[in-house]
Amino acid sequence: MAKNVKKFVNRDFAKTVDLDLLKRLIDPYAATIHLDWNGLPADEKERREAIFEFFRGTDETFPAELLDALHKIMVLSNENGARLLHEQADLAGVAIVPPDEADAKIVTPRHLALRAFLDHRAVFDLTLDKFAFWAVKSPTEFSGAKEGVESRHTDDAAKEAFRAAASGYFAGRYLGKYCDVRWYPEDDEICILVLHGKNAVTANVEENGSERTLTYREIAQDTIRYHSATGRVWISATAAAERKKLAELFAEHMLGDKNFFKGANAEQIYTLAPIQRQGTGFRFNHAWDPDTNAILVKEIQIDEGEHEVDGKVRYSPWAMTVRDSQNAIVRLVELAPDIDFDDLRINYVKLEFRFESGGREHKVIVKVKPPNIASFRNHAFEKQILEHLERNGIRLTRQPVATAVAAE
């Protein structure tokens, strides 16, 4: 437990957090954690150092509720979290930080998250749910049978059918009993958060000076984003089998066709063929977008791919990963001048997009791994990124695909 507390309350936290807000957060637990706030040094610098040393010395008696609160605040204590908090506060018609406080203090993302947690919990909790979609690093993308198929997320019976199906699937997979489905319509998208228990974990823990056995299930946060105009869905889950199953359940109950994402080209979304063909001559064309300063290939990995031997799929026994600050393709060829891309597979590339916005440059790392993964953390530039990939032949132009015949 102490290790987790230190992760959330490090020296940077202690030096920058608003002490009045921190006191409000921990006051309900002051007796349990034995922190005498009035006994702290009067000098602010010394007081912050004492708070840091206190948290650094905590042990397994630290309240789980307070640890959970610190974890949630930490999740939203960044630029994306602050942006989403402002958006949800505007929709709710509230000001998370009162004007007089905003004038008197520097409002950092951490300050904003802490204030929202304490005073606008409904806004905070809703933002935390929506942040799950932003935190997804490597969603799997599927292309549907056709464009323009609307989701049935306004139909209560369809929603309950999906929830029951998802609950039954994960109960059978993990033997848990909890499954909660939350729905968030966003313009022409429907975003769905599926929370469910994972495999049970048993650990020996200390409690009040004695040993006991604790069994618990971590809650997974799987996400589904469906864009009706393009008929495409993005799904995150622990295993590939779970992502495919969620796609099938969504298609069956929300779109009325369980095979909607099972077409022949449903998973053929991305390709690195332009790099394979052009080699060191490949460059991204971004002249059409005045807000893009550069797109650099910062990392590339090659191997022998997968091939069949005696009826069995064999995987490459080796892989070579090359990084470079400007052009990893050129660096790869410099290191291996005899390389022939026709005989190898480019497993993935990592790209650095440099966008000009708000008077400063934003760098976004995007990993493209065919056939259907493009992963990045800053989704504020998602539409631009996908358009760049499509214009440069990395993201395949959507082709209508025939619905597969169910394999019964």
Side-chain angles (χ1 to χ4, degrees), residues 6 36 40 51 56 62-64 79 85 101 139 161 173 184 193 211 228 292 325 345 355 357 389:
K6 292 171 189 175
D36 180 11
L40 294 173
I51 291 171
R56 192 166 69 90
F62 198 87
E79 185 177 336
L85 279 169
E101 182 177 319
R173 188 170 177 85
Y184 301 104
L193 187 62
E211 180 183 351
S228 60
T292 299
S325 61
R345 174 183 70 169
F355 296 109
S357 178
L389 294 178

Side-chain angles (χ1 to χ4, degrees), residues 389-404:
L389 294 178
E390 190 164 304
R391 283 176 177 248
N392 286 275
I394 303 298
R395 189 172 195 253
L396 298 173
T397 303
R398 189 191 185 284
Q399 299 292 330
V401 292
T403 303

Side-chain angles (χ1 to χ4, degrees), residues 127-231:
T127 304
L128 192 66
D129 276 356
K130 294 203 169 188
F131 190 82
F133 298 93
W134 282 71
V136 172
K137 184 178 180 181
S138 301
T140 297
E141 188 175 346
F142 299 93
S143 183
K146 55 185 177 180
E147 301 172 348
V149 179
E150 296 294 333
S151 164
R152 302 173 179 175
H153 58 271
T154 58
D155 185 327
D156 289 340
K159 289 167 64 175
E160 175 55 28
F162 174 79
R163 188 208 63 79
S167 179
Y169 171 70
F170 287 116
R173 188 170 177 85
Y174 293 111
L175 304 180
K177 298 180 180 179
Y178 172 77
C179 184
D180 185 20
V181 179
R182 302 174 186 177
W183 307 79
Y184 301 104
E186 293 277 355
D187 299 325
D188 56 352
E189 287 187 351
I190 176 63
C191 300
I192 306 172
L193 187 62
V194 182
L195 302 101
H196 61 87
K198 299 176 69 175
N199 287 325
V201 176
T202 300
N204 289 330
V205 299
E206 178 187 346
E207 186 175 271
N208 298 323
S210 61
E211 180 183 351
R212 75 180 183 92
T213 300
L214 173 68
T215 299
Y216 63 94
R217 292 180 184 275
E218 183 183 356
I219 299 298
Q221 289 187 315
D222 298 342
T223 64
I224 301 172
R225 287 176 52 216
Y226 173 66
H227 187 228
S228 60
T230 59

Side-chain angles (χ1 to χ4, degrees), residues 83-102:
R83 187 185 63 78
L84 288 173
L85 279 169
H86 280 303
E87 287 181 1
Q88 296 308 312
D90 289 344
L91 290 173
V94 300
I96 295 176
V97 179
D100 57 339
E101 182 177 319

Side-chain angles (χ1 to χ4, degrees), residues 275 282 284 295-299 349-353 364-368 389 394:
I275 299 177
F282 177 82
F284 272 94
I295 306 174
L296 307 176
V297 181
K298 301 295 287 285
E299 184 175 316
V349 294
K350 285 187 179 179
L351 313 172
E352 181 180 273
F353 285 76
V364 182
I365 298 297
V366 178
K367 180 179 180 180
V368 179
L389 294 178
I394 303 298

Side-chain angles (χ1 to χ4, degrees), residues 246-261:
L246 283 174
E248 178 186 293
L249 294 179
F250 176 85
E252 179 180 3
H253 298 289
M254 292 292 102
L255 306 178
D257 178 4
K258 67 181 296 183
N259 297 304
F260 190 77
F261 298 113

Side-chain angles (χ1 to χ4, degrees), residues 369-390:
K369 181 177 174 59
N372 59 350
I373 292 178
S375 60
F376 45 94
R377 291 191 179 278
N378 190 344
H379 290 260
F381 300 97
E382 180 179 77
K383 290 183 178 179
Q384 281 174 273
I385 290 170
L386 295 182
E387 185 169 356
H388 277 291
L389 294 178
E390 190 164 304

